[in-house]
């Protein structure tokens, strides 16, 4: 139901949106941003694809990504019990503050949250759009 | 009638709050905030303090938050797809 | 009285409270909930402001804003999204079954 112009523009814009979301996630401990914000950008990218190309583009394996994100998050937390003494302790070496590889477990937790929130928003939009297309 | 009662309640509430609240705008930050600003970088290694608090000091809160989000998705799924015959 | 962020946040909370008490349409009640949540976010972020402070990303010896309210308000925003989506979906189901969203009519059914 969308026109040729909208489809072409979406094709051009979508990779940059995904790149921006991943940038926000992996630079979450250096610049403003983090797992939630980048995940919401990824989810809105999924919403753009659903609106323009229809919900046939939905990937059934998306819920697996959400489970993987939650499990990585919990796994890092439980690993902190064995190496640091309490839940979610920062057991990796901190590094020099300001580098990309610093902050111990914080970048990994941000990645897990971003994966979970992005996949979760995509699933949420998919369920609602599928309901709208199915009803009357 | 209901709107009138609501308006009166809100006005009384607002007068009581706005004229008795003594919160200054732009004062000093609290004790916990001072501690995070002083020790945050050396304890976690992350420059962005909001991310440091969210993913290290209060990661347990974040875990609960993701569980709330998961339950919301589950609720939307159940309500919208529950009666598919 | 000077109009700053704290007082504006309280006024937004009161406006949302009035909307939730007085309006009879379910969608307007949900809108009141969203306005209350926005007011809470503005109130707490203004509470953590320090005069001439900059954003809490440490670089050198500057004056920084309190980082704790920002983190807690991030939590509030996510919870608000969850509550709003669930409430809107339930309102959709109510409209599908009874063809109205007016509380006065729904009470009599």
């Amino acid at each position: 139901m969308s026109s040729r112009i909208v489809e072409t523009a979406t094709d051009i814009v979508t990779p940059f949106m995904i790149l921006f979301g991943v940038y926000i996630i992996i630079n979450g401990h250096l610049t403003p941003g983090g797992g939630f914000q980048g995940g919401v950008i990824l989810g809105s990218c999924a919403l753009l694809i659903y609106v323009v190309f229809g919900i046939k583009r939905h990937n059934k394996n998306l819920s697996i990504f959400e489970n993987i994100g939650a499990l990585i998050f919990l796994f890092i937390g439980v690993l902190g019990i064995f190496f640091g003494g309490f839940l979610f302790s920062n057991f990796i070496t901190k590094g020099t503050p300001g580098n990309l590889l610093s902050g111990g477990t914080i970048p990994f937790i941000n990645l897990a949250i971003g994966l979970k929130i992005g996949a979760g928003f995509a699933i949420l939009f998919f369920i609602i759009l599928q309901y709208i297309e199915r009803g009357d | 009638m209901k709107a009138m009662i609501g308006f009166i309640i809100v006005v009384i509430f607002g007068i009581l709050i706005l004229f008795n609240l003594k919160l200054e705008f732009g004062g000093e930050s609290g004790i916990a905030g001072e501690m995070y600003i002083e020790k945050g970088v050396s304890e976690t290694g992350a420059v962005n303090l909001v991310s440091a608090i969210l993913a290290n000091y209060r990661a347990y809160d974040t875990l609960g938050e993701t569980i709330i989000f998961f339950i919301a998705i589950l609720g939307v799924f159940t309500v919208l797809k529950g009666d598919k015959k | 009285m000077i109009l700053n962020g704290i007082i504006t946040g309280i006024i937004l909370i009161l406006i949302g409270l009035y909307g939730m008490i007085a309006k009879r349409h379910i969608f307007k009640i949900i809108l009141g909930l969203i306005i209350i949540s926005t007011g809470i976010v503005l109130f707490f972020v203004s509470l953590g402001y320090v005069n001439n402070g900059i954003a809490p990303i440490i670089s050198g010896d500057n004056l920084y804003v309190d980082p704790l309210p920002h983190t807690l308000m991030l939590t509030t925003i996510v919870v608000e999204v969850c509550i709003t989506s669930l409430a809107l979906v339930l309102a959709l189901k109510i409209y599908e079954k009874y063809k109205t969203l007016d509380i006065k009519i729904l009470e009599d059914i």
Side-chain angles (χ1 to χ4, degrees):
Chain A
M1 279 164 287
S2 59
S3 70
R4 186 84 204 149
I5 299 172
V6 177
E7 286 180 4
T8 311
T10 307
D11 271 340
I12 295 170
V13 163
T14 305
F16 292 105
M17 282 178 75
I18 294 176
L19 186 68
F20 185 59
V22 173
Y23 165 77
I24 292 276
I25 290 174
I26 65 175
N27 274 311
H29 55 298
L30 303 177
T31 54
F36 287 107
Q37 292 91 335
V40 169
I41 293 173
L42 292 180
S44 61
C45 178
L47 176 64
L48 182 66
I49 293 175
Y50 290 156
V51 168
V52 172
F53 293 107
I55 56 172
K56 295 282 190 297
R57 288 286 184 96
H58 179 65
N59 193 354
K60 277 277 176 12
N61 299 324
L62 216 53
S63 59
I64 295 175
F65 280 116
E66 199 200 4
N67 298 338
I68 286 175
L71 283 179
I72 289 174
F73 187 29
L74 262 179
F75 184 67
I76 292 172
V78 173
L79 226 56
I81 296 179
F82 295 116
F83 291 104
F86 54 91
L87 197 63
F88 290 115
S89 67
N90 202 342
F91 57 89
I92 310 178
T93 51
K94 313 289 188 298
T96 50
N99 283 355
L100 187 61
L101 285 175
S102 66
T105 55
I106 291 176
F108 301 104
I109 289 181
N110 267 336
L111 265 175
I113 294 173
L115 203 63
K116 179 170 168 49
I117 295 288
F121 264 104
I123 293 169
L124 200 62
F125 292 140
F126 170 71
I127 294 170
I128 294 174
L129 282 175
Q130 194 187 36
Y131 176 80
I132 291 172
E133 286 205 351
R134 189 164 51 103
D136 37 49
Chain B
M1 190 59 203
K2 206 175 160 191
M4 200 66 206
I5 296 173
F7 187 72
I8 293 169
I9 289 174
V10 166
V11 165
I12 293 172
F13 225 68
I15 289 172
L16 282 180
I17 291 176
L18 285 178
F19 287 97
N20 288 310
L21 204 66
K22 297 280 185 291
L23 291 174
E24 54 168 339
F25 180 69
E28 292 182 347
S29 54
I31 301 169
E34 287 291 333
M35 197 277 281
Y36 288 137
I37 291 172
E38 273 178 23
K39 297 182 184 171
V41 174
S42 60
E43 276 183 358
T44 65
V47 183
N48 187 356
L49 281 181
V50 174
S51 198
I53 296 173
L54 192 78
N56 195 5
Y57 288 110
R58 291 175 186 244
Y60 203 64
D61 280 9
T62 312
L63 180 66
E65 201 175 330
T66 51
I67 291 172
I68 287 175
F69 188 67
F70 178 68
I71 291 174
I73 295 173
L74 214 61
V76 170
F77 185 80
T78 314
V79 171
L80 284 188
K81 283 190 152 184
D83 58 353
K84 204 161 97 180
K85 286 164 188 131
Chain C
M1 193 192 313
I2 310 156
L3 201 64
N4 54 29
I6 294 176
I7 292 172
T8 316
I10 292 173
I11 291 173
L12 271 178
I13 293 173
L14 291 173
I15 291 172
L17 195 65
Y18 171 74
M20 285 187 78
I21 292 173
K23 295 297 174 187
R24 302 194 316 188
H25 200 268
I26 288 181
F27 190 71
K28 287 176 184 171
I29 294 175
I30 297 172
L31 275 181
L33 196 68
I34 297 171
I35 294 173
I36 286 182
S37 184
T38 312
I40 288 171
V41 171
L42 184 60
F43 176 76
F44 276 99
V45 169
S46 316
L47 213 55
Y49 180 69
V50 178
N51 277 330
N52 300 318
I54 60 172
I57 294 171
I58 304 295
S59 59
D61 199 12
N62 293 317
L63 196 60
Y64 295 105
V65 164
D66 197 348
L68 190 54
H70 294 73
T71 314
L72 297 180
M73 286 313 109
L74 208 60
T75 310
T76 308
I77 292 170
V78 176
V79 173
E80 182 208 348
V81 168
C82 299
I83 291 174
T84 311
S85 64
L86 260 183
L88 285 176
V89 164
L90 285 176
L92 197 69
K93 270 292 174 187
I94 288 173
Y95 184 78
E96 194 184 52
K97 186 160 187 185
Y98 297 110
K99 294 297 173 204
T100 181
L101 281 178
D102 199 330
I103 290 208
K104 210 67 182 173
I105 303 171
L106 284 173
E107 273 175 350
D108 298 335
I109 292 173

